[in-house]
Amino acid sequence: MSHEGQASLEALQTQLRQAGLRVTAQRAAVLRVLAHSEEHLSAEQIWEQAKAYDASINLATVYRTLSTLKELGIIDPRSLTADGRRRFYESAAKPRHYHFTCLGCGRVQEFESDLLDRAREQIARQHGFHITTARITFEGLCECCAQSHSGGRTT
Ligand SMILES: [Zn+2]
Ligand SMILES: [Zn+2]
């Protein structure tokens, strides 16, 4: 697991260098957090974790770094909350997946779907699009919340 993290950290740093940017201590700290995280992190959460690598990092730097990485396509910002106000970041190098946001508990679940992958390919073919990102987010109630909403009844 940690090996995978290392490999993708290398890849992220290489991408940054290829874009002609220096891997500063602050940028390295943000990349490290993103490479080792399986989760979707808000800018504040990234900042909290990045402090472990570079104690001098501040939130403004994190925001600046995130917007640079976003422009380079190294990370993917997603609005995963129901109101779309909070943004979460994840490495763009993650395997293709889709998101489900629970409106009850706010949990975000990732899932893969061959069907959606095929739909994406078909749409690309039909219209001649070169699709780089598909931000597909489903919303509703997760299994747990759906059960408690119906008062625990299973019918
Ligand atoms: Zn839920
Ligand atoms: Zn995700």
Side-chain angles (χ1 to χ4, degrees):
M1 218 56 197
S2 68
H3 276 282
E4 256 172 61
Q6 282 309 118
S8 80
L9 176 62
E10 288 277 295
L12 292 173
Q13 292 187 339
T14 305
Q15 273 183 280
L16 205 60
R17 286 200 199 90
Q18 278 168 352
L21 291 168
R22 281 198 315 127
V23 183
T24 60
Q26 286 101 332
R27 283 175 182 155
V30 170
L31 289 177
R32 208 167 285 228
V33 171
L34 289 164
H36 291 290
S37 174
E38 299 281 305
E39 310 243 321
H40 308 88
L41 301 171
S42 67
E44 287 82 4
Q45 288 169 319
I46 291 169
W47 179 43
E48 282 302 323
Q49 296 187 24
K51 282 189 226 168
Y53 305 112
D54 181 1
S56 72
I57 198 162
N58 61 44
L59 187 55
T61 308
V62 170
Y63 272 116
R64 232 180 3 254
T65 304
L66 287 173
S67 89
T68 305
L69 297 176
K70 195 170 67 187
E71 274 165 39
L72 297 173
I74 292 174
I75 54 163
D76 207 3
R78 297 168 184 272
S79 303
L80 294 174
T81 49
D83 57 16
R85 270 187 308 201
R86 273 186 88 190
R87 285 189 158 247
F88 294 84
Y89 299 85
E90 63 184 348
S91 161
K94 267 174 115 176
R96 185 181 293 175
H97 64 274
Y98 305 93
H99 297 97
F100 174 84
T101 304
C102 177
L103 302 176
C105 63
R107 211 149 52 96
V108 177
Q109 287 181 41
E110 295 188 338
F111 62 93
E112 288 166 28
S113 166
D114 291 342
L115 194 60
L116 288 174
D117 290 348
R118 283 207 303 278
R120 172 180 162 146
E121 277 148 29
Q122 196 196 320
I123 289 161
R125 246 196 332 271
Q126 250 176 18
H127 302 277
F129 297 153
H130 294 265
I131 299 171
T132 49
T133 318
R135 290 198 181 83
I136 302 172
T137 304
F138 294 82
E139 288 179 0
L141 293 174
C142 71
E143 210 174 354
C144 268
C145 292
Q147 263 168 26
S148 63
H149 270 249
S150 66
R153 274 173 284 130
T154 45
T155 46

